[in-house]
Amino acid sequence: MALFQTLIPALCTLSLLFQIQPSYSATCTSQKFGRNRIFQHCNDLPQLNSHIHWTYDSSKGVLSLAFAAFPARPDGWIAWGINPNGTGMIGTQALIAFKKPGGDSMIVKTFRLNSYKSVEQAEIMYDVSRLEAEYHGGLMMIFATINLPNGMTTLNQVWQVGASVMNGTFPAIHAFQPENLSSKDKLDLRKGQSLTSTSQENSGLRSKQIHGALNTVSWGMLFPIGIMMARYLRTFADPAWFYVHISCQMSSYIVGVAGWATGLKLGSQSKGVEYTIHRDFGITLFCLATLQILALFLRPKRDHKYRFYWNIYHHGVGYGVLVLGIINVFKGLEMLDPPKKWKLAYIFFLAVLGGIAISLEVITWIVILRRKPGKSGISIRLYDGQKDSNGRQQPLTS
């Protein structure tokens, strides 16, 4: 009997603990917070596995909210903010939370995002009270009450997650994956829904996909094939190889210019977000490819004294575009982060193309070594150098 008298209070206490234990689910509708925090509306945000809960008193302009998200890494940070003048990061009045050094206790601070290079810890333009942060099972949460201007019923919200905190006091820069760059929308506080146009988001992603597809086909596929036509087809089909080569390279240039133009448009629509290496490679590719097109119109006759130097210029620039184009395709795939099958498909294409090139290289040299010059009326060249005093071709490059 004494045992039951001891167990019953313990079980009741344990039961009470389970009842008040907050629930942190993958959807906002089933998320519950401790300390009797209840909100009227909630949305599962479209990016970064994040959730926003809020109650808005429009008569007083008081917004009570909870923002929940998983940081990029356990010791990272989460942020939610309001942009009073635009839809992007610049100008956002943000609440940023992260762990205190050496434990799981949280701290949350207000920041002004003045520019992509200027993030200032300071009071924001809205009065904020009851500012708290919590951490449970990998999920970080920000709680706050914000006084908004009278009559405000919609706001531009921006949210973000990061992987690390510098010196335990300042959030380090976040990733620049598509979901990080798209973590923004317009929130209707009274209706409890997002006003972001899905078609606009899809349009931005579609533009990136078009840009990637055009440049992959151009610099990553047509251009290497055109080089192979010039190197190997001339042994078996002279002068047909020349027209096939020109057709491939002109098509590559036209498609590449279209891809370059879409890249410029994407850059203008994403001010402050720069992929410096990819951009510089793209500009260089466009310039070198334009030089190749000019080479077609500046091409001297085969027996001209400057033909030797033209060959150096044409081959050097061509192989430069080949290498740079393939590298930049992989840079683009890394940025766009498509399903792995697309990257694997391109690697498979390059492997097949490389295998064909090796096979053709072997076959071409076998044919050349077995066939005497001029036999069967077929001219055999792997180069277009000048003839020396003995009438022999001077090789330029392989």
Side-chain angles (χ1 to χ4, degrees), residues 230 234 238-243 245-246 290-315 381 383-385 396:
R234 73 174 65 191
D238 188 13
W241 70 267
F242 176 77
Y243 301 104
H245 172 65
I246 291 297
T290 302
L291 284 176
Q292 285 293 75
I293 297 301
L294 293 176
L296 176 64
F297 301 101
L298 300 175
R299 181 171 177 259
K301 293 182 179 180
R302 186 169 295 167
D303 57 353
H304 196 281
K305 63 179 181 179
Y306 291 126
R307 180 58 178 263
F308 176 79
Y309 304 103
W310 181 90
N311 282 339
I312 294 177
Y313 147 70
H314 184 59
H315 292 178
R381 300 187 194 92
Y383 41 74
D384 282 326
L396 174 64

Side-chain angles (χ1 to χ4, degrees), residues 28-39:
C28 75
T29 53
S30 55
Q31 285 181 335
K32 296 180 180 179
F33 304 104
R35 295 167 55 184
N36 199 31
R37 293 188 180 102
I38 299 174
F39 300 92

